[in-house]
Amino acid sequence: MTSPLQQKLKINGPVMVTANRLGDGAVIYRTAAGEWTTEIAAAAIATTADHAKTLLAAATADYVRAVDPYVAPVEFTADRRVLPGNLREKIRFAGPTIALPGA
Amino acid sequence: MYLYDDFDKTLVDERVNEFRDQVKRRLSGELTEEEFKSLRLMNGVYLQLHAYMLRIAIPYGTLSSEQMRMLAHVARRYDRNYGHFTTRQNIQFNWIKLDELPDAMADLASVKMHAMQTSGNCIRNITTDQWAGVAPDEIEDARVWGEILRQWSTLHPEFSFLPRKFKIAITAASHDRAAVKVHDIGLRLHKNGAGEAGFEVMVGGGLGRTAFIGKTIRPFLPKRDLLSYVEAILRVYNQFGRRDNIYKARIKILVHEIGAEAFGREVEAEWEKIKDGALALDPKAIAEIASRFRYPDYERLADEPAELKAGLAADARFDTWFKNSVWRHKVPGYAIVTLSLKPEGGPPGDATAEQMDAIADLADRYSANEIRVGHEQNLVLPHVRQRDLPELWRALDSIGVATPNVNLVSDIISCPGLDYCALANTRSIPVAQELTRRFRDLDLARGLGRLHINISGCINACGHHHVGHIGILGVEKNGEEYFQLTIGGRADEKAEVGALLGPAVPYDDVVDTVEDIVAAYLELRERPDELFIDTVKRIGVEPFQERVYATR
Amino acid sequence: MPLVKGGRIVEDSYQRVLDDAPVPDRIPVIVPAARLLADADDLARRGGVTGVLWPNDRRIAELAPHLHKLALVALVFPKFKDGRAYSQARQLREQYGWRGELRATGEILRDQFMFLERAGFDSFEVKKEADAEAFVEATRRFSVFYQPTGDGRATALRARLARASSATPIAREREQVR
């Protein structure tokens, strides 16, 4: 596998680094302090490709806690709250769009 | 039922221990994700959008009531109270934790269930007709061959790291309910001129990015040669299948690129070297496996007993369900009952833990402790006395699995789509749900006759869209969900890949578009009993295109 | 990279000779396939045994005429996910009757050991030290084998048939009830 640092990374707007937690698969976001959080509000936001690459490289090295990190778009609400930037990330953030049968 | 013996049991337990060790090594960091990924996949563990997913094998679609109760237990103890029956005689749990997976597998092993080879680049769960052993139109019970192949393929030392996944399906009936022509190997058990049973061997069928119908490389293979012949096919594929491009790695591409004839020659040359070796099946070996399939002690009963006639006369809803969901059994006085897992507004193929427990109880009372799972994502009670049907129907109705829509427009096959799946481009379950609401009028649905809608949320085609009478494929366009529609596909003995109807339509239009296709069919069919699929065959795609796209 | 043979980590007595490098006399060497095909007779005349590193995309039939000149065949797993050499190994052992050393090289991990052994390999260049140490444990994890290979292990089916034919009718009955 190519190291994330060697990969070309183009970003159109603000991004975060997200992955799944190794032990239970939960959706997690990389923080500025190099930790992982399930709270999207605490995710580190990058606005340059270099910053995103640095975040991703550190996240990828942390393979004992996180599985397959990648860069994902974010958007902001009017009051600057962080939201996922596409449908896939919205579903990862909020759960399936359907009612779950066992509930 | 197939009775496991101590050999089968030991192997499943040993596999659980091995997996426990693999998980431990991953959690400690001894294994990287890249290394662990193929190991977990070979044991049915995916990482999806929100959590790990566990896919458990239901070999040749046969479940005991005890096993069904264990699935309910796994749903409750390790998941969120429900499971999803797939198109390949498996069940999936969507919310399982990696650190709890070894315990879940050990629980499953206690009833001889496992997740071996339900994923990964190996030989997958062998599938067959969900009516095998009870279907009036079969020449013998195809599950015996499913079991022979299951044993041969399990932890196969040579074929556990193939170029890509490998799926084998078997049918022994005149009507193919196992979709054998869209499998990597399709086996059709039939009789030759001399009255001996043997296999037609088809290779290179499959869906996914490029759909192909399987090609026959041997019209008649004696039973003794089944394993050596299949091993020869796999050996040729393992060596010459492409490994440079994941989308070209399935056997169908190899067969397509070198041609079925050249492929067949390679197989025959390899087979010549091994056909009289240790894989040759002598009648004693076949009989040993067959002897462990047990059938109920059927009572001597007559068809259409008084209890059934009275029930049909007394209740129109029962009559409707009976006509839709009950089929003739091999044995007089018995019936095969399909349980629809496609209620209006529900996710296709899902069942709650409570439903699983209730179905297990009903199987004990009415179906000799046995349940089947079919590729259409419905369940079957295979041994029901006809006189019990009115009572059984009331019980099924009360737990929501008696919607009389089997094989009708709302009996939709669907993959999990972007609501769960890490590979999906679009959602598929909400589309299926909206279609079941739109076609909730069962009188209309019956008037349409057999009509299969299949939905996949990406090109991998887990929802078998290519072979839906109406196929729906989710594609992403500039971040939006769009859907391509095909018509004229079918998965049975006349298998065909559907033809593209026109440009993809946005999410909000897809259900309307399907409704327009159905309206066009009503206008175009020659007679009320000409099925949708036959109308498409007769007049082609164009008349549908004109009508559906006229206003779009 | 530790070498495992006979269940133990051992010193590798072979030296790898790359492409055109001169072949040293009197010591065991492993040469690339092209070298073997070009200089097979010269190699056979030197003192010291010869092995070949055979790539996983060439047919074993091409190697077959030279087998009698060799003491070792090394097959390659460029990635542990690339399983072509399992088929080559079985062909060598079961169809061409190869009895010399059959070595697995490349990305070899603990979780493949049993498969490799069943396919006919008897020496293993293992990627990780810890895996090499766990060799015996990893290859004894399973006691039941469903399919016959050239490794001689009895399959579950044969064991069942043997048991059935030796069992008394009463024991057979008990087996069915269980």
Side-chain angles (χ1 to χ4, degrees), chain A residues 1 20-27 63-64 66-68 87-88 91-93 95-103, chain B residues 26-27 29 31 33 47-52 80-82 97-99 350 352 418-420 422 427 429-430 433 481:
Chain A
M1 230 174 10
N20 291 80
R21 192 157 59 198
L22 178 64
D24 63 0
V27 175
Y63 73 93
V64 185
V67 183
D68 293 343
L87 178 65
R88 186 177 196 273
I91 292 173
R92 286 181 79 237
F93 170 71
T97 64
I98 53 171
L100 303 187
Chain B
R26 175 65 183 105
L27 291 173
L31 286 173
E33 183 59 22
L47 181 55
Q48 296 290 36
L49 292 183
H50 319 282
Y52 288 95
R80 298 193 181 174
N81 285 316
Y82 68 99
K97 296 181 170 73
L98 181 62
D99 35 25
D350 281 14
T352 64
L418 192 57
D419 283 297
Y420 295 100
R427 290 170 291 165
I429 294 170
Q433 290 175 314
E481 296 169 284

Side-chain angles (χ1 to χ4, degrees), chain B residues 315-438:
Chain B
D315 194 327
R317 283 181 65 230
F318 172 62
D319 181 79
T320 300
W321 173 81
F322 174 80
K323 288 198 179 98
N324 174 263
S325 305
V326 179
W327 277 267
R328 206 155 66 78
H329 195 283
K330 248 183 190 176
V331 179
Y334 284 80
I336 304 169
V337 174
T338 299
L339 281 52
S340 169
L341 294 183
K342 319 289 176 67
E344 183 187 322
D350 281 14
T352 64
E354 290 66 35
Q355 285 175 323
M356 291 182 212
D357 274 338
I359 291 165
D361 290 349
L362 294 172
D364 282 342
R365 199 170 325 147
Y366 299 109
S367 182
N369 323 99
E370 198 175 316
I371 302 141
R372 303 289 184 86
V373 184
H375 87 268
E376 301 89 350
Q377 303 181 282
N378 290 319
L379 301 178
V380 170
L381 294 179
H383 313 288
V384 179
R385 284 181 298 256
Q386 290 175 16
R387 65 162 188 253
D388 292 338
L389 285 168
E391 222 174 272
L392 173 64
W393 169 70
R394 276 188 292 275
L396 295 174
D397 191 38
S398 73
I399 58 166
V401 294
T403 311
N405 63 349
V406 176
N407 290 330
L408 301 181
V409 62
S410 55
D411 184 4
I412 296 167
I413 292 178
S414 166
C415 72
L418 192 57
D419 283 297
Y420 295 100
C421 178
L423 299 173
N425 288 323
T426 71
R427 290 170 291 165
S428 44
I429 294 170
V431 176
Q433 290 175 314
E434 187 50 31
L435 282 166
T436 64
R437 291 188 198 104
R438 197 68 68 91

Side-chain angles (χ1 to χ4, degrees), chain C residues 12 17-18 25 27 34 48 54 60 69 71 74 76 79-80 88 95 105 110 132 134 155 163 168 172 178:
Chain C
D12 189 357
V17 175
L18 298 172
D25 203 13
I27 55 166
W54 194 256
I60 290 299
K69 302 165 201 159
V76 192
K79 284 264 175 202
F80 76 98
Q88 292 176 314
Q95 293 173 14
T105 71
R110 177 187 316 201
T155 64
R163 190 164 65 182
T168 62
R172 240 195 329 260
R178 225 182 338 158

